[in-house]
Amino acid sequence: MKDEQKRSDELNLNLSLTTPGEAESVDKIQTLNEAMAFELKHHEDLSLADEKKLRRRISNKLAARRSRFRKLTHKNKLEQNFKDLQDEIALVGSKIENMKNYNDKLRVENEMLRERLNNITDKATQATAKIEEVKLELQLLKMNLAKAQEYQHYMKIGGESFDFYNHDELESAPEIDINQYLNLDDDM
């Protein structure tokens, strides 16, 4: 019963110490000594026990205010961090989308270049085969020419002059530089 009376006295004391206009000014006070000075200035008839209770209440009130302020500041920081992270997510999301598009473009370009390389490789292979074919044909022609020259030389030695070529056909045919074909091996 005494505890209940003390609590009701404390509540009455707390309510009687401040008026609505004064409550606003007390809320603006930041330190315990300033709050105590303000309360004692308005209520000089407090006993030592009431002064201790008042000091404890004001101290608790100021601590609660600081706690609420820290909590509000922390909440605001978290909200700002949340907004910053959302902005960053949106920015990174758009960058990811751009990189995906760029990656797709590079894949298409890579495929086109591979196709082009395959075509060039095929053409080079065909050209190499054609060159080998021409080389073989040239070697065959060289061998036939050597045989013909040997046979012609043989015929001259034997006393007879035998001409393999019809001179009328040779005059109408364009001249061919045989050295061009004979040196083909050296160029490759």
Side-chain angles (χ1 to χ4, degrees):
M1 176 111 159
K2 286 185 178 182
D3 290 335
E4 289 178 22
Q5 187 177 8
K6 284 182 183 179
R7 284 188 207 145
S8 77
D9 288 343
E10 287 175 9
L11 293 175
N12 291 338
L13 179 62
N14 190 19
L15 294 175
S16 67
L17 288 177
T18 58
T19 61
E22 292 174 351
E24 293 171 9
S25 63
V26 170
D27 286 339
K28 293 179 183 176
I29 297 172
Q30 295 297 319
T31 66
L32 178 61
N33 290 335
E34 290 174 359
M36 281 300 294
F38 180 80
E39 289 294 332
L40 291 175
K41 181 171 52 170
H42 293 303
H43 302 284
E44 297 173 1
D45 59 340
L46 291 176
S47 68
L48 187 60
D50 288 340
E51 190 176 326
K52 286 182 180 181
K53 289 177 187 178
L54 179 64
R55 177 176 288 276
R56 188 175 63 237
R57 260 191 302 249
I58 292 173
S59 174
N60 289 344
K61 191 176 195 180
L62 291 174
R65 186 184 315 154
R66 285 190 303 270
S67 175
R68 284 191 303 272
F69 180 75
R70 282 192 307 269
K71 186 177 179 181
L72 182 64
T73 304
H74 182 68
K75 178 186 164 220
N76 290 340
K77 283 182 184 178
L78 289 176
E79 286 175 350
Q80 186 60 44
N81 287 346
F82 179 73
K83 288 177 185 175
D84 292 344
L85 289 174
Q86 281 183 323
D87 293 343
E88 189 174 340
I89 287 170
L91 180 66
V92 169
S94 66
K95 283 183 180 181
I96 288 172
E97 193 61 35
N98 289 340
M99 293 307 277
K100 283 181 181 178
N101 292 338
Y102 183 67
N103 191 16
D104 291 343
K105 179 183 169 188
L106 287 177
R107 285 178 199 262
V108 169
E109 185 178 346
N110 188 25
E111 190 60 36
M112 287 174 28
L113 289 173
R114 283 179 193 254
E115 228 174 271
R116 190 172 168 195
L117 178 64
N118 288 338
N119 289 340
I120 291 171
T121 304
D122 289 345
K123 286 180 182 178
T125 303
Q126 291 171 357
T128 303
K130 185 70 173 171
I131 288 171
E132 291 299 321
E133 225 177 90
V134 169
K135 280 183 180 181
L136 289 174
E137 188 177 340
L138 181 61
Q139 286 177 350
L140 185 61
L141 288 173
K142 282 181 186 180
M143 288 179 6
N144 287 339
L145 179 63
K147 285 180 185 178
Q149 286 174 345
E150 185 180 315
Y151 186 71
Q152 188 178 20
H153 179 67
Y154 172 73
M155 294 305 278
K156 282 184 182 179
I157 295 176
E160 297 179 27
S161 178
F162 182 77
D163 207 355
F164 283 105
Y165 303 105
N166 184 349
H167 290 287
D168 295 333
E169 289 177 13
L170 284 176
E171 289 174 5
S172 65
E175 286 193 31
I176 298 173
D177 183 15
I178 292 214
N179 291 328
Q180 168 187 348
Y181 294 106
L182 296 176
N183 294 330
L184 185 61
D185 293 337
D186 298 333
D187 293 338
M188 300 198 183

